[in-house]
């Protein structure tokens, strides 16, 4: 299996620009998670989907953040407009069932200048 | 009730020594306790996991000790090696009833040669 695939791996953007992060979960996994990792706050769950439906978005920091999962093999996390404090590593992860082993992608390293 | 507290925040061990990382949880309904290992530039990956029906699980040099009455579990790395230098996260979930994983804050382990 190819694992969870994320793109881009690295992105540097200017404040105010729109950022779109992409994720392809492992085939057959019904749950998809978006996490953010920073030195200050550690690993934070932003949102997760079950069968393409958003279940819990309570971790999404602000209205500037949005996530979609149009089909079982693709999800996006969008930040518009981006701010320097959004600089972090964003991980996508997937699992077969909730509470089971989560498989993480290699992350998208975002820098907003 | 959903928190998982992890300590220490960072740990330095000499090669060949024992690394010990501790986690405590509050929710007695948790029934799945995995540890994740994250190398720099990579996503976290499952290292070892335990269910509360056993008090210890060993895989190679890695051992989870579980104390249900104290609501604590720990990761022991025997004969620590420089290649073990990474960030370690504990986590917990109500696997049987399908709740998502809650992660600890992470421990940065450095094993000196």
């Amino acid at each position: 299996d190819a694992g969870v695939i994320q793109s881009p791996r690295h992105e540097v953007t200017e404040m105010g620009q729109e950022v779109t992060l992409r994720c392809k979960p492992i085939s057959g996994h019904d749950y998809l998670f978006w996490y953010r990792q920073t030195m200050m706050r550690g690993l934070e769950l932003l949102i997760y989907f079950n069968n393409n439906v958003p279940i819990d978005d309570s971790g999404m920091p602000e209205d500037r953040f949005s996530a979609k999962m149009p089909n079982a093999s693709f999800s996006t996390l969008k930040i518009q407009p981006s701010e320097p404090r959004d600089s972090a590593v964003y991980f996508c992860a997937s699992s077969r069932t909730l509470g089971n082993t989560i498989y993480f992608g290699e992350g998208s390293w975002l820098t907003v200048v | 009730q959903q928190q998982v507290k992890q300590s220490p925040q960072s740990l330095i061990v000499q090669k060949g020594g024992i690394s010990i990382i501790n986690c405590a949880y509050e929710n007695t309904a948790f029934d799945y306790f995995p540890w994740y290992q994250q190398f720099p530039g990579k996503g976290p990956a499952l290292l070892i996991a335990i269910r509360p029906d056993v008090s210890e699980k060993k895989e190679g040099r890695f051992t989870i000790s579980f104390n249900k009455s104290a609501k604590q579990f720990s990761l022991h790395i025997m004969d620590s090696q420089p290649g073990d230098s990474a960030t370690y996260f504990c986590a917990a979930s109500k696997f049987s009833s399908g709740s998502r994983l809650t992660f600890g804050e992470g421990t940065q382990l450095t094993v000196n040669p």
Side-chain angles (χ1 to χ4, degrees):
Chain A
D1 210 327
V4 176
I5 300 172
Q6 292 187 244
S7 65
R9 287 296 317 277
H10 299 271
E11 175 133 354
V12 180
T13 190
E14 292 186 345
M15 183 174 65
Q17 296 298 306
E18 178 179 290
V19 174
T20 300
L21 308 179
R22 297 172 178 80
C23 174
K24 177 178 168 45
I26 294 173
S27 177
H29 283 193
D30 291 338
Y31 287 86
L32 182 139
F33 307 82
W34 281 101
Y35 285 87
R36 178 172 68 176
Q37 185 174 36
T38 61
M39 289 294 291
M40 292 297 293
R41 300 175 68 90
L43 202 58
E44 302 175 275
L45 177 66
L46 301 178
I47 185 171
Y48 77 90
F49 296 81
N50 174 216
N51 292 324
N52 316 336
V53 177
I55 302 300
D56 184 353
D57 65 354
S58 59
M60 296 285 263
E62 312 172 22
D63 292 345
R64 298 184 297 106
F65 285 70
S66 63
K68 294 182 180 179
M69 192 166 184
N71 58 61
S73 59
F74 183 67
S75 176
T76 60
L77 178 67
K78 189 172 292 187
I79 309 172
Q80 167 63 24
S82 58
E83 297 182 2
R85 60 191 167 126
D86 302 330
S87 298
V89 184
Y90 291 82
F91 287 104
C92 178
S94 68
S95 67
R96 287 192 184 278
T97 61
L98 194 59
N100 207 338
T101 301
I102 291 179
Y103 296 85
F104 286 81
E106 297 212 318
S108 292
W109 297 67
L110 174 65
T111 303
V112 183
V113 297
Chain B
Q1 277 254 314
Q2 296 296 319
Q3 284 189 319
V4 177
K5 295 213 173 285
Q6 183 172 346
S7 63
Q9 190 174 15
S10 62
L11 180 62
I12 299 174
V13 174
Q14 291 299 119
K15 179 182 175 181
I18 302 174
S19 304
I20 301 175
I21 305 170
N22 300 299
C23 281
Y25 62 97
E26 298 173 358
N27 191 336
T28 55
F30 284 151
D31 59 4
Y32 176 61
F33 303 90
W35 285 89
Y36 282 76
Q37 180 187 53
Q38 183 182 24
F39 291 108
K42 300 292 185 181
L46 179 67
L47 180 63
I48 186 173
I50 196 169
R51 299 289 172 89
D53 53 341
V54 296
S55 60
E56 186 175 283
K57 183 173 182 179
K58 184 175 182 179
E59 289 184 3
R61 296 183 294 106
F62 299 90
T63 300
I64 300 179
S65 296
F66 182 78
N67 186 329
K68 189 174 183 178
S69 60
K71 294 188 288 185
Q72 295 176 347
F73 59 109
S74 59
L75 176 69
H76 296 237
I77 306 174
M78 311 301 288
D79 186 27
S80 299
Q81 299 296 312
D84 297 330
S85 298
T87 300
Y88 293 81
F89 293 93
C90 64
S93 74
K94 290 184 284 185
F95 175 77
S96 57
S97 60
S99 82
R100 61 173 180 83
L101 281 173
T102 298
F103 283 89
E105 300 92 339
T107 296
Q108 188 165 349
L109 171 65
T110 302
V111 182
N112 288 327

